[in-house]
Amino acid sequence: MSVEFFKRLGWFIVLCVAQVLILNHIHLYDIAIPLLYVYFTITFHRGTPKWMILLWSFALGLAIDVFSNTPGLASGSMTLIAIVQPYLLELFVPRDSTENLKVSVSTLGIGKFIIFSLVLVVVYCLVFFALEAFSFYNWQHWLACAGASSLLTFALMMAIESVRRK
């Protein structure tokens, strides 16, 4: 087994435990919920096979669903993000860059990383809260939840990224 597998497994466990035990209990103004585990899918290397990204992301989403009692919300949304991530990443990296390019602020640059991660977080939150509501009857609340959760999740991701790159 490679070192990368154990690093990925460590992130899997840490993000799952943090979400289930701490972050699920944070509800700012009954709208914003930090969904930090999406950071797991964002940080996959450029050359990672697509099937591996799908498998890891679905497994993390399923673990979050099991422990948070949200049947299918996280796993469906994480699977969508896993499908989009490699294609979106190709838009932000140079063609001549290495296949094992690590996705971080130090390799992509602050501007590209912010846009890349913000797009994925917003798409994730929109899908997650759309599946949760399962209707657009109260679309203002749906947009407020998705927007506020996206900003809170993104702020936490940038805090982790600022510590991680040093």
Side-chain angles (χ1 to χ4, degrees):
M1 301 237 144
S2 69
V3 174
E4 183 63 32
F5 173 79
F6 288 110
K7 285 182 183 178
R8 193 56 56 186
L9 184 62
W11 271 108
F12 183 97
I13 293 169
V14 166
L15 288 173
C16 186
V17 168
Q19 184 67 40
V20 170
L21 296 180
I22 299 167
L23 299 174
N24 277 349
H25 301 289
I26 298 173
H27 299 278
L28 296 178
Y29 302 109
D30 209 22
I31 291 178
I33 303 168
L35 303 168
L36 188 59
Y37 54 92
V38 81
Y39 182 69
F40 182 79
T41 303
I42 289 173
T43 58
F44 274 102
H45 294 250
R46 180 181 183 203
T48 307
K50 292 174 182 67
W51 64 268
M52 189 179 298
I53 298 172
L54 277 169
L55 190 64
W56 274 108
S57 298
F58 176 76
L60 180 60
L62 188 62
I64 297 293
D65 282 337
V66 166
F67 293 117
S68 299
N69 196 20
T70 56
L73 295 179
S75 57
S77 303
M78 286 292 283
T79 303
L80 175 70
I81 294 302
I83 292 169
V84 172
Q85 191 264 0
Y87 299 107
L88 188 63
L89 182 60
E90 289 300 318
L91 297 175
F92 291 97
V93 296
R95 290 181 189 224
D96 59 345
S97 64
T98 178
E99 278 296 314
N100 201 18
L101 180 75
K102 183 177 157 185
V103 178
S104 68
V105 171
S106 59
T107 56
L108 288 180
I110 188 78
K112 288 182 180 180
F113 183 80
I114 286 174
I115 295 170
F116 171 70
S117 59
L118 196 57
V119 166
L120 284 176
V121 168
V122 167
V123 168
Y124 179 80
C125 287
L126 285 172
V127 171
F128 182 85
F129 287 106
L131 288 174
E132 182 185 46
F134 209 64
S135 76
F136 293 109
Y137 177 72
N138 194 359
W139 62 271
Q140 296 95 348
H141 183 68
W142 169 70
L143 278 179
C145 287
S149 295
S150 297
L151 290 176
L152 186 57
T153 302
F154 180 72
L156 287 173
M157 280 178 33
M158 291 308 288
I160 289 175
E161 194 64 31
S162 69
V163 172
R164 187 173 167 226
R165 67 180 161 143
K166 291 182 180 176

